[in-house]
Amino acid sequence: MQHLAVMFANSFTVDMLLQIVEGFADDFRKLAADTLTFMLRSEVGFSMDILRLFKELGGNEKLIALMTSTKSENVKGRLLVLL
């Protein structure tokens, strides 16, 4: 039961971070990208769940779309780390 609660919390967090990356100003995009990077590079078991959620929520597609549309080199650099 505890694992299920953690999974839903992670799902909500990843979804919110992707929404920030997709629709907010560049400063917030950078912070969200940094947070996602940290989450994906943390503990092995935890990061595999985050990676799975990231893919299920269309994270790669959202990041690629943003990479082609943003003019900020700083944002592109931080998003490139996630891809």
Side-chain angles (χ1 to χ4, degrees), residues 1 6 10-11 15 18 23 29 34 40 44 49-50 58 61 66 75-76 80-81:
M1 184 70 161
V6 170
N10 290 342
S11 178
D15 186 40
L18 287 173
R29 286 177 173 167
D34 288 345
L40 289 169
V44 174
D49 286 341
I50 297 299
E61 293 84 3
L66 184 59
V75 172
K76 283 183 182 180
L80 191 58
V81 171

Side-chain angles (χ1 to χ4, degrees), residues 12-35:
F12 177 77
T13 302
V14 172
D15 186 40
M16 289 286 88
L17 290 169
L18 287 173
Q19 287 183 33
I20 291 168
V21 164
E22 194 174 30
F24 283 65
D26 285 347
D27 290 338
F28 294 109
R29 286 177 173 167
K30 289 185 281 188
L31 291 171
D34 288 345
T35 303

Side-chain angles (χ1 to χ4, degrees), residues 36-78:
L36 281 168
T37 301
F38 174 78
M39 290 173 74
L40 289 169
R41 294 183 180 192
S42 59
E43 298 176 32
V44 174
F46 176 70
S47 65
M48 294 316 257
D49 286 341
I50 297 299
L51 182 59
R52 182 183 51 76
L53 290 168
F54 181 80
K55 289 180 179 180
E56 286 176 6
L57 295 170
N60 289 335
E61 293 84 3
K62 291 178 183 181
L63 293 181
I64 290 169
L66 184 59
M67 288 284 293
T68 59
S69 67
T70 190
K71 293 182 179 18
S72 171
E73 294 298 320
N74 200 354
V75 172
K76 283 183 182 180
R78 293 191 184 196

